[in-house]
Amino acid sequence: MGSRRPSKNPHAEAEQFRRRAALGFLAVALALGGLAAWYFRLQVLQHADYATRSEANRIRPRPVVPGRGMIYDRQGRLLAENVPAFRLDVVPDKAGDTERLLAELGQLIRLGEDEIEHFRRERKAGRGFRPITLKMRLSDEEMAAFAVNRWRFPGVEMEPYLTRHYPYGDLFAHVIGYVGRIDEKDLEQLGERGTALTHIGKTGIERAYEDLLRGQVGYEQIETNVQGRALRTVGRVPARPGSDLRLSIDAELQRATVAAFGELEGTAVAMDPRTGEILALVSLPSYDPNLFVNGISHADYRALMDNPSRPQFNRAVLGGVAPGSTLKPFLALAGLDSGVRRPEDRTLSTGMFYLPGNSRGWGDSHRGGHGWTDARKSIADSVNTYYYQLALDMGIERIERFLERYGFGQPSGIDLVGESSGILPTPAWKMRQRKERWYPGDTVNISIGQGDWKVTPLQMVRATSALADEGHLRVPRLVEARRDRFDAPWSPLEQGQPARISDRPDNLRVVREGMEMTVHGPGGTARAMGVGAPYRIAGKTGTAQVVSRRGTGAVDPRSLPMHLRHRALFIGFAPAEDPQIAVAVAVEGGGYGGSTAAPIARKIFDAWLLGKLPEGLEPLDGAPPASGCAGGGEGADETAGEGCVPAPADGARPPSQRTPALASDRNPAGNSFGSWIRRNPHLLQPVAPQAPGEGGQSRPRPPAARPAGGATPSQPTHAPAREPGAGR
């Protein structure tokens, strides 16, 4: 019997189908639910995030670099400005093969080796998505050539920017300094905020006031196309421009100071003793700071570095020389204030000074000596013996204490970076530096500003200003005011209170009278500089010797090579009875202070007080305001300009009266170039030299046709120094 085929169970099959269909529908429903939840998450929960990402594909932020603050002189002359320019930026990630890019761009735009090397260095060190500047300041022809071929260079943009420019070139290089391109060291200090900047202050005011001048970076949102090209701006956070600065320096006086040096090298600083404002600061030779703004070439940089005169070295702030005899007024004041000397105490100068039991002698500025010498005469005639004995009587510890009070051996505090503190020789310093003990001969050497001394011109002019301003030792400053917008008023910067170097006005008066006799006394070492001046000058000459004596004989600086010649020094202030300006002058290889440095100081005084520029120098702003009053001397009445009145026939001097420095004097010209003679037109004739009378008071003396001894004003009136420091 054959097998039977099993019969179908339609109910079971239907039930199985229903179960499978239910499972299928459930899976589909779960999948659709999951998809809906995912869409809900994308479209609702994460909408803001993905909308931002989507917008970022179309909108990208671009930093807005603020305009750098500008710098003006005290009369509003622009010393540092911003000039519009274009640069070429490359984004390496978008540019493709950078070497091929450089080759093709080089056919359109001249790329120097320095620029290509800088780009390659930045390419290796930087991130590919950040733009790198390939070339700064494109010319009009280069901009036109790139604009036509722009489509060929993806990732390359021509960006507008403001470049720094210094209209006066090398005149203010050591004051204003310069900005340069940001390097890796700068980026480490600035952090993320520095990535938007291209330049930063490197030296001078540009560096010291970088935070004020830089401003605050802003941002703008740029809509771009698929190639990343900017189409339009859709949002903006404005940048805050840097603050403008007004300096206390007068550009006209700065030019006059440079012209006063002629071909000589050295430094000079002029300061208002009543306020501490720096009126001029010159270091020669100088250099053009514009060379550094967009990157100096190797050739230009090598020329500066190979120059033996070191143009980049700021002699006024970083340099230093032995003060020579310019130290004597301060040591004289220390002797008086310490009680070791009285004004009338006298020391006998025979020409040579010997320590007990020592055969080595120290010479005086006159081989035959000066005879009996008191404090005033010791300053005026530069009598070394007076200070040899004074230093031994005071002792080095007391000398150190007083000279520190006058600001030596420490930075002056000027608003520049890296100021030198100089060297104030002491037993502790000598043991620390040389591992040697201090000898009495060291005390003798430093008493006349020789030995291991090192002072900066800033320290010298600061201490001199303290003598002029009744003992007030002020911190010198270059920046007088700031403003945060071009239409905002100037806000003066706060200054600290001055210290006092002496509580004895009578002792200060003795020192000032000695300095006045230096220029106007019968034996003064700088009497030639006072000839024909319609005002009186108080000063002190000095000579810092580079080589020591030969045996017991003096060294004539004129017989030496220039780099071994003595440095000529002068400090002083004028007018003596109402000081408006104090100066310190140091001339390298200048010989003697009285014959080289003092005439430079006289030209600075004439420029500031009389408005009289050195010969051959044209004024910046038209005719000097008091040009007709500047001549003085004979014929002054006939040549007096408008506003000038004839001098009294008897040559009488007005009573001494201090003129305060007022806020209203700062700008425009109430207390500036040539303003003193405009306020004192009755002082048009030169005042006859005077000598001290009873009680240290001055008495009139008949005018002399030439200095005593028959020497012409341009000739030195003393024999050469016999010892280091004997120069005047």
Side-chain angles (χ1 to χ4, degrees):
M1 194 175 163
S3 60
R4 266 186 190 177
R5 295 181 60 188
S7 62
K8 294 184 177 180
N9 188 345
H11 296 288
E13 291 179 356
E15 184 64 26
Q16 184 181 28
F17 175 78
R18 283 194 296 271
R19 287 197 301 268
R20 290 178 179 177
L23 289 174
F25 280 119
L26 180 61
V28 171
L30 290 175
L32 290 175
L35 184 61
W38 181 255
Y39 279 134
F40 180 81
R41 177 174 174 269
L42 292 178
Q43 296 295 333
V44 179
L45 300 181
Q46 295 183 330
H47 174 270
D49 181 37
Y50 284 98
T52 301
R53 294 189 186 186
S54 176
E55 193 72 7
N57 293 329
R58 184 176 66 91
I59 306 296
R60 64 182 178 87
R62 182 169 65 182
V64 178
V65 179
R68 193 172 180 85
M70 293 185 282
I71 302 176
Y72 301 85
D73 84 334
R74 68 186 295 120
Q75 298 304 317
R77 303 181 184 98
L78 195 57
L79 307 182
E81 62 181 344
N82 301 317
V83 178
F86 283 86
R87 67 175 185 266
L88 211 58
D89 284 357
V90 178
V91 180
D93 284 354
K94 297 181 179 180
D97 186 352
T98 54
E99 292 301 322
R100 178 182 176 184
L101 173 71
L102 293 175
E104 293 180 356
L105 271 177
Q107 298 176 1
L108 296 177
I109 299 173
R110 189 179 67 84
L111 299 175
E113 290 296 328
D114 296 337
E115 294 166 333
I116 295 176
E117 180 182 347
H118 178 269
F119 175 81
R120 288 171 176 165
R121 185 169 59 250
E122 293 295 317
R123 174 70 181 91
K124 293 179 181 178
R127 300 178 182 179
F129 62 86
R130 287 180 175 171
I132 300 174
T133 299
L134 175 60
K135 184 178 180 63
M136 304 292 293
R137 200 160 192 179
L138 299 172
S139 66
D140 293 341
E141 293 78 9
E142 290 171 335
M143 287 189 291
F146 178 77
V148 173
N149 295 272
R150 184 178 181 179
W151 60 274
R152 295 171 49 195
F153 304 102
V156 182
E157 291 288 346
M158 190 166 56
E159 297 288 347
Y161 75 107
L162 294 175
T163 186
R164 203 64 156 173
H165 179 250
Y166 304 103
Y168 290 91
D170 60 358
L171 184 62
F172 291 96
H174 293 103
V175 176
I176 299 176
Y178 58 84
V179 298
R181 297 172 69 172
I182 286 183
D183 53 28
E184 287 298 321
K185 183 178 179 181
D186 298 325
L187 286 176
E188 291 177 2
Q189 296 176 349
L190 294 173
E192 284 298 320
R193 61 177 178 168
T195 57
L197 303 173
T198 59
H199 291 74
I200 192 173
K202 298 290 187 178
T203 64
I205 293 293
E206 294 278 25
R207 179 181 176 186
Y209 288 86
E210 169 64 24
D211 291 341
L212 284 180
L213 291 168
R214 181 173 60 235
Q216 184 174 339
V217 177
Y219 292 91
E220 59 184 6
Q221 292 179 309
I222 304 298
E223 183 179 6
T224 60
N225 59 16
V226 293
Q227 294 180 333
R229 304 287 186 188
L231 299 178
R232 63 190 179 97
T233 301
V234 296
R236 184 180 183 90
V237 177
R240 188 179 68 188
S243 300
D244 296 335
L245 300 180
R246 185 175 70 195
L247 306 188
S248 58
I249 280 187
D250 188 287
E252 196 78 276
L253 184 65
Q254 185 87 351
R255 294 173 66 239
T257 303
V258 172
F261 273 83
E263 299 298 322
L264 297 173
E265 298 179 358
T267 180
V269 184
M271 177 175 171
D272 188 333
R274 304 164 300 172
T275 62
E277 295 178 349
I278 298 298
L279 306 176
L281 190 151
V282 167
S283 177
L284 297 172
S286 187
Y287 64 96
D288 186 359
N290 291 301
L291 295 173
F292 290 87
V293 173
N294 292 314
I296 188 171
S297 68
H298 282 300
D300 290 336
Y301 186 70
R302 180 51 53 193
L304 289 175
M305 297 302 294
D306 291 343
N307 189 330
S309 296
R310 300 187 295 171
Q312 289 183 265
F313 185 69
N314 191 338
R315 291 160 167 81
V317 178
L318 305 176
V321 298
S325 293
T326 59
L327 181 69
K328 292 175 179 176
F330 307 104
L331 193 57
L333 179 62
L336 295 173
D337 280 349
S338 65
V340 176
R341 288 288 186 276
R342 296 174 299 175
E344 63 273 14
D345 288 343
R346 298 190 300 169
T347 300
L348 180 61
S349 167
T350 61
M352 291 295 293
F353 177 84
Y354 297 93
L355 287 171
N358 196 327
S359 61
R360 180 189 184 278
W362 283 264
D364 224 321
S365 53
H366 272 320
R367 294 185 178 180
H370 297 265
W372 289 102
T373 302
D374 62 7
R376 295 179 179 86
K377 182 179 177 181
S378 72
I379 297 172
D381 295 7
S382 199
V383 183
N384 291 347
T385 299
Y386 182 91
Y387 295 96
Y388 296 150
Q389 190 61 57
L390 172 60
L392 292 174
D393 293 343
M394 288 186 64
I396 185 59
E397 291 80 9
R398 198 180 305 182
I399 293 175
E400 176 187 1
R401 186 168 67 253
F402 276 93
L403 293 183
E404 282 182 347
R405 183 185 301 177
Y406 305 154
F408 296 110
Q410 55 193 289
S412 69
I414 192 171
D415 43 352
L416 291 175
V417 178
E419 181 188 3
S420 171
S421 60
I423 297 174
L424 173 57
T426 63
W429 179 90
K430 186 178 181 183
M431 180 59 68
R432 184 172 60 252
Q433 296 294 325
R434 299 188 177 182
K435 310 301 181 185
E436 298 177 1
R437 61 183 293 264
W438 189 267
Y439 296 98
D442 295 323
T443 304
V444 173
N445 278 335
I446 71 162
S447 70
I448 55 171
Q450 297 296 331
D452 293 317
W453 269 103
K454 184 177 180 182
V455 300
T456 65
L458 274 171
Q459 292 170 334
M460 294 168 64
V461 76
R462 184 188 183 205
T464 303
S465 295
L467 295 177
D469 190 38
E470 307 293 343
H472 294 102
L473 186 68
R474 303 181 185 275
V475 176
R477 56 192 174 103
L478 286 164
V479 177
E480 189 267 332
R482 61 175 283 189
R483 68 180 181 190
D484 297 329
R485 304 187 316 274
F486 74 93
D487 57 345
W490 289 100
S491 301
L493 299 186
E494 293 186 6
Q495 302 298 322
Q497 293 298 318
R500 287 198 63 84
I501 64 171
S502 176
D503 296 323
R504 294 287 303 275
D506 53 335
N507 291 339
L508 286 166
R509 184 169 59 252
V510 169
V511 173
R512 288 197 297 266
E513 289 172 355
M515 295 176 69
E516 193 171 353
M517 289 170 56
T518 300
V519 180
H520 302 285
T525 58
R527 60 186 183 273
M529 76 174 295
V531 174
Y535 53 88
R536 292 182 69 83
I537 303 170
K540 184 70 192 79
T541 59
T543 302
Q545 295 187 359
V546 178
V547 295
S548 61
R549 66 175 187 173
R550 299 168 183 168
T552 58
V555 177
D556 184 357
R558 291 176 289 271
S559 66
L560 297 171
M562 183 60 69
H563 71 283
L564 294 179
R565 293 187 181 183
H566 306 337
R567 290 180 173 88
L569 308 171
F570 180 86
I571 60 172
F573 54 88
E577 68 280 0
D578 181 17
Q580 310 279 308
I581 179 175
V583 301
V585 179
V587 183
E588 297 182 1
Y592 294 116
S595 59
T596 307
I600 294 175
R602 168 65 188 277
K603 292 178 181 178
I604 298 173
F605 288 146
D606 281 354
W608 185 249
L609 299 176
L610 309 180
K612 178 181 178 182
L613 295 173
E615 185 177 356
L617 194 65
E618 295 296 327
L620 286 172
D621 308 317
S627 59
C629 302
E634 296 180 5
D637 295 349
E638 290 78 27
T639 61
E642 184 179 355
C644 298
V645 299
D650 57 359
R653 297 172 58 192
S656 176
Q657 183 177 359
R658 300 277 293 160
T659 301
L662 304 176
S664 59
D665 290 339
R666 300 275 74 79
N667 200 10
N671 180 38
S672 58
F673 192 78
S675 63
W676 178 83
I677 194 63
R678 296 199 302 274
R679 295 196 300 266
N680 299 274
H682 51 280
L683 299 177
L684 297 180
Q685 288 185 343
V687 181
Q690 297 184 0
E694 283 186 342
Q697 299 298 319
S698 300
R699 58 184 175 86
R701 292 176 56 89
R706 61 177 59 191
T712 63
S714 61
Q715 296 173 334
T717 56
H718 286 302
R722 301 193 61 189
E723 283 290 325
R728 299 161 301 282

